[in-house]
Amino acid sequence: MDMTARGRLKQHLISWATAAPLAGPAGVGVGTLVLADAAHIPAVTAAGLVGPRTLLLAPGDGTGDLAPAVGYQGSLTEPGDEFSNGQDFFLQTHAYAASPFMTVFGPTVIRVFDRHDFEAFLADADRALAEGVFPEFLITSSVLLADPAALSGAHNPADGPALRLYADPDGQLSTSPTGAVLGTVDDSLGTLTERFARTGSGAAALDAALPAETRAEALRARPFLARYLEAVSALRSLMARGATGLRVSGFGSRLTPGLTGSGGGADLADPTLPIVLYRDEDQGGEAYIVAGSRLFAVDRRAAQALECLLATSGEAGDLVPAAEMDQLAELFARHDLPLPAPMRAPAAAR
């Protein structure tokens, strides 16, 4: 398999598991369509679900003619199973609750398959918030958590049948193998999209795994979950660069002395805000800011200024000297980053 085809397969599998948008224009058809039975290829093709941009995956040993599908072995939907393109790419699938006890050999997707998995996910998030301890398996650079928006309550406008679909052995379609049924392989993309809009993205991703009210109650009680998963992504990104042992501001500790006891925690409910990560001074003292997909190594004073502003919604008081607020604004301007809402102008100008 050439690198272009391999890269396309990886991009589509990541999108299919996490609802991350695909690069390029949407076009006609589903972005990624995974079939549990190759017998459904004619039906999805006739229904108009397969277009020029579609990666259609169907079980096959690689010796038969699956056109327009790409054959695969194994499974993308069973815990403990492995997907293979029959050549050089393998992807494991683990159940969340079992993941701490599994060995990660390569690219791995972790799914919440049932209530037990969901409870384990919540327990890990609660511990991270209280103690600053994140599950090691989840921040491993080769691991991805499936359906993060549904698990955290975050809004993901990219998700939907136009992005990803799964057809089970009976030909029932959902956006995720753990989600609500939206239709069958004979339905058009328009019909499936209308049903998705009525069902809701969270239900479409997880309603087959656990009761909707169970998930809703947990999300209401934990408004920090989306921020938690952004912190997980930031730690994973830094781990891939060799930076380990980092703390995340707001999860178990703060970089700024006195901030923890001030009641500041406004940033924990907003996953769109930048994230401050740091190492204790006796371990090197590095500090980082993650803003969207961008990562910056920064001076500890700049990191302290930012976390104070974020945690207090801009009401940092005497925690941040005016000069440091100005320097932080200059840092964001230099990197062409939008300023967080609490600091729209340099402090001296306010």
Side-chain angles (χ1 to χ4, degrees):
M1 189 178 203
D2 63 62
M3 291 303 294
T4 301
R6 192 173 189 271
R8 180 172 182 253
L9 175 63
K10 290 176 64 176
Q11 181 197 33
H12 277 264
L13 288 175
I14 290 171
S15 173
W16 185 77
T18 66
L22 290 165
V28 178
V30 181
T32 310
L33 174 51
V34 176
L35 306 181
D37 189 340
H40 293 130
I41 294 174
V44 296
T45 302
L49 300 180
V50 181
R53 72 166 188 148
T54 304
L55 180 63
L56 175 62
L57 293 167
D61 61 8
T63 61
D65 182 10
L66 289 175
V70 175
Y72 71 85
Q73 292 84 55
S75 172
L76 287 165
T77 62
E78 295 297 325
D81 213 335
E82 184 176 70
F83 164 96
S84 169
N85 67 351
Q87 298 180 47
D88 60 352
F89 182 77
F90 300 87
L91 178 67
Q92 296 178 317
T93 298
H94 290 172
Y96 190 97
S99 293
F101 313 104
M102 305 292 284
T103 301
V104 175
F105 292 108
T108 301
V109 170
I110 294 174
R111 287 192 178 277
V112 167
F113 283 99
D114 53 28
R115 184 183 293 212
H116 180 52
D117 285 334
F118 188 57
E119 289 173 350
F121 164 74
L122 296 176
D124 282 344
D126 289 342
R127 186 185 183 198
L129 180 67
E131 303 175 24
V133 177
F134 289 75
E136 290 187 11
F137 69 88
L138 202 56
I139 60 175
T140 300
S141 58
S142 60
V143 168
L144 287 176
L145 179 66
D147 299 311
L151 288 169
S152 66
H155 175 59
N156 181 3
D159 198 9
L163 180 69
R164 58 176 186 154
L165 282 173
Y166 168 67
D168 72 10
D170 297 322
Q172 294 182 315
L173 288 173
S174 54
T175 55
S176 170
T178 54
V181 173
L182 300 175
T184 72
V185 290
D186 298 309
D187 287 321
S188 69
L189 185 56
T191 297
L192 295 168
T193 300
E194 289 175 3
R195 291 173 182 164
F196 175 83
R198 293 196 299 269
T199 302
S201 58
L206 280 177
D207 263 19
L210 65 152
E213 188 54 34
T214 297
R215 185 173 63 88
E217 288 179 2
L219 297 188
R220 283 194 295 268
R222 296 170 176 83
F224 67 90
L225 280 177
R227 182 75 167 174
Y228 163 69
L229 289 186
E230 289 297 323
V232 165
S233 295
L235 287 168
R236 186 187 300 126
S237 177
L238 280 157
M239 178 174 281
R241 293 168 170 82
T244 60
L246 296 171
R247 297 181 181 272
V248 182
S249 175
F251 288 86
S253 64
R254 293 286 191 183
L255 177 58
T256 305
L259 181 58
T260 301
S262 69
D267 53 338
L268 293 175
D270 190 345
T272 68
L273 294 175
I275 295 175
V276 174
L277 304 98
Y278 61 95
R279 201 187 308 276
D280 290 338
E281 289 193 274
D282 60 358
Q283 296 180 349
E286 303 99 317
Y288 303 89
I289 292 174
V290 174
S293 61
R294 302 178 68 181
L295 167 67
F296 302 94
V298 297
D299 180 85
R300 285 176 72 87
R301 289 175 298 178
Q304 288 177 322
L306 179 60
E307 77 163 359
C308 288
L309 290 168
L310 297 178
T312 63
S313 293
E315 302 298 326
D318 58 1
L319 287 171
V320 183
E324 290 185 9
M325 293 177 71
D326 288 344
Q327 290 172 3
L328 183 62
E330 291 170 3
L331 172 68
F332 272 68
R334 186 165 64 251
H335 292 290
D336 196 28
L337 288 171
L339 291 172
M343 42 176 297
R344 291 300 183 194
R350 287 200 296 265

